[in-house]
Amino acid sequence: MYLFIYLQDNPAAYYITVILFGLIIGSFLNVLIYRLPKMMMQEWREECRRLLETASSEENRKTERFNLVTPGSRCPVCNHRITALENIPVISYLFLGGKCSECKSPISFRYPIIEALSALAALAMAWHFGWSIQALLAIFMSWALIVLSAIDLEHQLLPDDITLPFLWLGIFANMTLSQPFTDIHSSIIGAMAGYVSLWSVYMLFKLVTGKEGMGYGDFKLLAMLGAWLGWQMLPLIIILSSLVGAVAGIFLILFRKHGRSVPIPFGPYLAAAGWITLLYGEVIMQKYYLWALGTL
């Protein structure tokens, strides 16, 4: 209790604590990003095996338990177990020179990037919302968007284990907070409209081209953002994500030789647009209305 009072009365200490806590959580976010897709694929393989009622001798072997806790963190090349000193956010990566201490294999630059993003995103929300429950919820929302974006970039998956709980959390927050992100009616309608809007685009695109333009995870992600921010912010999120996605897609095709037929994940652009809208959505909409009225 005294610690909370101290942090509330000392903004500098509050922001420093948020940064440190964000770095620590960022390390856990890396675990989620690496392990959650593997856990999903492992579960899908098991479901397929049961449905097909076939099990080879290799499949019947007892496999190592794999979840968010077990086994401990290790080098994927030499299986060197990562020690606590080698797992300090950002600092350990720099101290090790981005290489495994045992076999000197390179460590992905993604790890310090995610840790730094986790801290900076948390700081931005703490700065914007101040000492409040809104700041805490917005920080957790930011971390969820980071994980979803990274997984979608690597695997083109948006796990229901993250989107659905946060969808309900958004509705619950707007229903119970004294200062919600939006009113409860806008939250519920936002969740429904977010899903239906992208689903309609998906179905229309499929009818016209015979191809699937996006996945169902994108519908659920926009529904989640609608639950947090309300239906009024959905057009802004869609416009921002489409603009950024179009620019990124053109860049990949022109400069990275990305094949036109190779799918580009849309989740990171939705997540980025949702995060920006969470911070500045009302300001952007107000400036737009002033501009629109000024042109009449």
Side-chain angles (χ1 to χ4, degrees):
M1 181 62 69
Y2 292 110
L3 176 61
F4 291 157
I5 295 174
Y6 175 77
L7 292 178
Q8 186 175 5
D9 294 337
N10 295 270
Y14 170 47
Y15 297 138
I16 292 173
T17 301
V18 167
I19 292 173
L20 294 176
F21 194 62
L23 289 170
I24 294 170
I25 294 298
S27 182
F28 176 69
L29 298 187
N30 276 316
V31 174
L32 277 175
I33 292 166
Y34 177 76
R35 298 196 179 202
L36 188 55
K38 291 183 178 294
M39 291 165 57
M40 294 169 62
M41 294 174 189
Q42 189 178 69
E43 183 180 352
W44 294 339
R45 283 194 295 267
E46 179 62 22
E47 289 177 355
C48 290
R49 186 188 67 79
R50 290 175 181 174
L51 288 172
L52 295 173
E53 296 181 348
T54 58
S56 66
S57 58
E58 184 175 345
E59 288 174 327
N60 277 326
R61 289 183 203 162
K62 187 176 181 180
T63 57
E64 183 182 19
R65 186 179 178 187
F66 189 85
N67 53 40
L68 296 179
V69 178
T70 305
S73 298
R74 61 183 66 175
C75 173
V77 178
C78 67
N79 282 329
H80 166 66
R81 191 171 294 275
I82 307 300
T83 66
L85 290 177
E86 295 172 341
N87 209 24
I88 301 173
V90 179
I91 295 176
S92 291
Y93 183 90
L94 297 175
F95 181 77
L96 293 170
K99 296 179 181 180
C100 171
S101 62
E102 189 72 20
C103 67
K104 306 304 178 183
S105 297
I107 302 171
S108 173
F109 194 54
R110 185 200 75 198
Y111 291 95
I113 289 293
I114 293 296
E115 291 162 354
L117 278 178
S118 173
L120 291 175
L123 176 62
M125 291 302 171
W127 185 280
H128 183 78
F129 290 102
W131 177 267
S132 64
I133 189 65
Q134 287 88 352
L136 179 62
L137 291 172
I139 287 170
F140 276 96
M141 175 65 160
S142 300
W143 290 337
L145 293 175
I146 290 172
V147 173
L148 289 169
S149 298
I151 291 177
D152 201 25
L153 282 171
E154 290 191 19
H155 303 280
Q156 295 185 9
L157 294 172
L158 291 168
D160 289 349
D161 290 343
I162 297 176
T163 52
L164 297 185
F166 272 87
L167 185 153
W168 291 110
L169 178 60
I171 293 176
F172 179 77
N174 288 320
M175 181 175 63
T176 57
L177 291 179
S178 58
Q179 292 181 318
F181 299 97
T182 188
D183 63 272
I184 185 59
H185 298 289
S186 297
S187 175
I188 295 173
I189 296 173
M192 294 187 294
Y195 188 93
V196 171
S197 59
L198 284 190
W199 177 84
S200 301
V201 173
Y202 164 86
M203 291 302 298
L204 180 61
F205 184 83
K206 189 174 182 179
L207 287 173
V208 173
T209 66
K211 301 178 181 179
E212 297 183 355
M214 62 182 69
Y216 279 72
D218 297 317
F219 315 160
K220 298 169 190 175
L221 175 54
L222 188 58
M224 182 185 86
L225 295 173
W228 279 76
L229 303 173
W231 64 268
Q232 298 91 337
M233 293 297 173
L234 290 178
L236 176 60
I237 294 173
I238 293 173
I239 291 172
L240 286 176
S241 59
S242 299
L243 287 174
V244 176
V247 171
I250 293 171
F251 175 83
L252 289 173
I253 291 172
L254 293 179
F255 299 102
R256 295 293 184 89
K257 307 301 180 182
H258 193 89
R260 295 174 182 269
S261 60
V262 178
I264 298 174
F266 190 49
Y269 309 122
L270 278 175
W275 191 82
I276 292 171
T277 303
L278 181 60
L279 278 175
Y280 306 115
E282 292 185 3
V283 174
I284 295 173
M285 295 299 288
Q286 288 174 2
K287 290 186 178 296
Y288 169 75
Y289 290 140
L290 290 174
W291 174 81
L293 291 173
T295 59
L296 294 177

